[in-house]
Amino acid sequence: MSEPPPPRTPDGPPRVTTAPRRPVPYHRPVAALGAVLLLALPFYLDRFWLQAGLFAMAAAIGAIGINLLTGATGQLSMGHAFFLAVGAYSYCVLAGGPTTESGHRLTGLGLPGWLAAVLAVLVAGAAGGLFSPIAGRLRGAYLGIATLALIFIGQHVLFNARDLTGGFNGRAVPPLSLFGIDFDDSVTVVLGVPFQSSEKLWYAALAALVGCALFARGVLRSRPGRAMNAIRDHRVAAGVMGVPVARYRAAVFVLSSMYAGLAGVLVALVFQRTVPEYFGMILSLEYLAMIVIGGLGTVAGAVVGAAFVSLLPQLLTHYSDSLPLVSAPGTGGVSPGEASRYLYGAAVVAVVLFLPGGLTRLITPGEKK
């Protein structure tokens, strides 16, 4: 049986139609390879690199949260570090028992570690819920200034509520316990393989990061994500189309606070001690730099930006002896922390001017979420 003739156009020769080629999703095998690599890294890396990776994963969880708020919904927040502090110190109070440190009697409830971690995330979400009516009605610089006040309030509480926080010196962080496994310095043997604290925390943090990333990706690709983008792009038009703008802003603020609380719990577990100075305005600015460098409104952008900003000072510190113009902390010259801020500050300017989509646009130019 012969094939039918090609369709003819009114004014010309027969037109041959071809089906458009679908782009090859090359980023999926790359993601699978990256997942296998992350699972295998604890068997080959030493403690320094494992801790650096743990800081990066904790930062990525917090960056995903602020990217939902700032990148996807367009709400500027300068108080993200406050909610990290709420999560970190809530875990210490809930999991730690009554004890004395540096002459201060510290309060603790002595709850199981896994329960304390869950409740700490809920406490951070409750703190965001108390602020959510303001977040639902303010926008832009006004919301940024309002959330900036949270940093000053938080610093005052952290330094003066010594029974809860330990004051200037902070307080020790109780180890996490989950499924009968204590995430401390004791060795846990699984299938004949010994795991120490860093290796155990690595897999716990990796599971938390994957879960948070998949949840945020699902939110962005569903109806709430489209409503959040509509609020970001044109608030009035979104309201006309029936989107409850104030309710969505408040809900996203609470969700972002819970992400920050979980990031604070992981940071505390890696540090093994909470220090008030860490949860200052510089930390909030670093999180804003993460999402701008990585890519606003995308989960992958938050992860890439968090890895860049959190790993850079640690790399500079580790290799300060062999790098020009960078000296070890306390020896004069440009410290690794200062050098890293110069570098990712320059990266922010370069991304804004030449790569508005962030670093993820270099990897997945056709990917939007």
Side-chain angles (χ1 to χ4, degrees):
M1 186 175 182
S2 60
E3 296 182 357
R8 293 180 174 273
T9 57
D11 301 324
R15 177 172 50 89
V16 179
T17 59
T18 57
R21 294 183 178 180
R22 299 181 63 182
V24 179
Y26 62 89
H27 59 281
R28 292 182 181 177
V30 172
L33 181 61
V36 173
L37 181 62
L38 289 174
L39 290 173
L41 281 178
F43 296 97
Y44 301 98
L45 298 182
D46 57 19
R47 189 179 183 90
F48 170 81
W49 293 109
L50 287 177
Q51 286 191 339
L54 285 168
F55 280 123
M57 286 189 278
I61 293 175
I64 292 173
I66 196 172
N67 218 358
L68 290 174
L69 180 66
T70 302
T73 316
Q75 292 288 87
L76 177 62
S77 175
M78 298 288 292
H80 208 57
F82 170 80
F83 297 104
L84 269 87
V86 172
Y89 279 96
S90 295
Y91 174 79
C92 292
V93 173
L94 293 169
T99 184
T100 301
E101 292 185 16
S102 302
H104 300 300
R105 182 67 178 174
L106 300 179
T107 303
L109 300 181
L111 298 178
W114 67 269
L115 180 59
V118 173
L119 292 178
V121 175
L122 295 178
V123 170
L130 292 176
F131 194 82
S132 61
I134 299 175
R137 288 164 175 80
L138 296 179
R139 60 189 180 93
Y142 298 101
L143 178 62
I145 294 173
T147 53
L148 184 61
L150 293 175
I151 296 294
F152 298 109
I153 295 174
Q155 289 287 291
H156 178 76
V157 172
L158 293 180
F159 281 112
N160 293 280
R162 297 182 179 180
D163 293 341
L164 296 176
T165 66
F168 181 83
N169 294 322
R171 64 181 295 170
V173 179
L176 178 67
S177 59
L178 183 65
F179 301 127
I181 300 175
D182 294 326
F183 291 76
D184 53 12
D185 291 330
S186 62
V187 178
T188 302
V189 180
V190 179
L191 299 177
V193 180
F195 290 88
Q196 295 182 344
S197 61
S198 298
E199 289 86 353
K200 290 181 284 187
L201 275 177
W202 178 279
Y203 289 112
L206 184 60
L209 174 58
V210 171
C212 291
L214 291 178
F215 181 81
R217 189 181 180 92
V219 169
L220 291 174
R221 290 193 165 188
S222 62
R223 183 176 180 179
R226 293 190 291 270
M228 291 157 56
N229 291 334
I231 294 172
R232 176 197 62 195
D233 296 334
H234 204 296
R235 175 179 56 90
V236 177
V240 170
M241 289 187 295
V243 177
V245 176
R247 189 186 308 169
Y248 263 94
R249 284 177 171 174
V252 176
F253 194 89
V254 173
L255 181 60
S256 175
S257 303
M258 295 178 70
Y259 271 82
L262 179 56
V265 172
L266 290 176
V267 167
L269 290 171
V270 178
F271 264 130
Q272 299 182 353
R273 189 169 193 88
T274 53
V275 181
E277 287 185 351
Y278 177 77
F279 303 99
M281 187 172 61
I282 297 297
L283 183 61
S284 291
L285 294 176
E286 287 179 351
Y287 273 100
L288 290 176
M290 291 176 193
I291 61 175
V292 172
I293 294 173
L296 290 172
T298 65
V299 174
V303 175
V304 172
F308 180 86
V309 173
S310 62
L311 291 177
L312 186 60
Q314 300 186 63
L315 292 174
L316 293 178
T317 302
H318 191 68
Y319 296 107
S320 59
D321 294 336
S322 57
L323 292 176
L325 305 178
V326 178
S327 57
T331 59
V334 179
S335 66
E338 293 175 342
S340 63
R341 294 190 182 101
Y342 294 150
L343 289 176
Y344 66 67
V348 168
V349 175
V351 166
V352 171
L353 292 178
F354 306 109
L355 196 64
L359 296 179
T360 52
R361 290 296 181 265
L362 297 176
I363 306 171
T364 56
E367 185 76 9
K368 294 185 179 180
K369 293 287 182 290

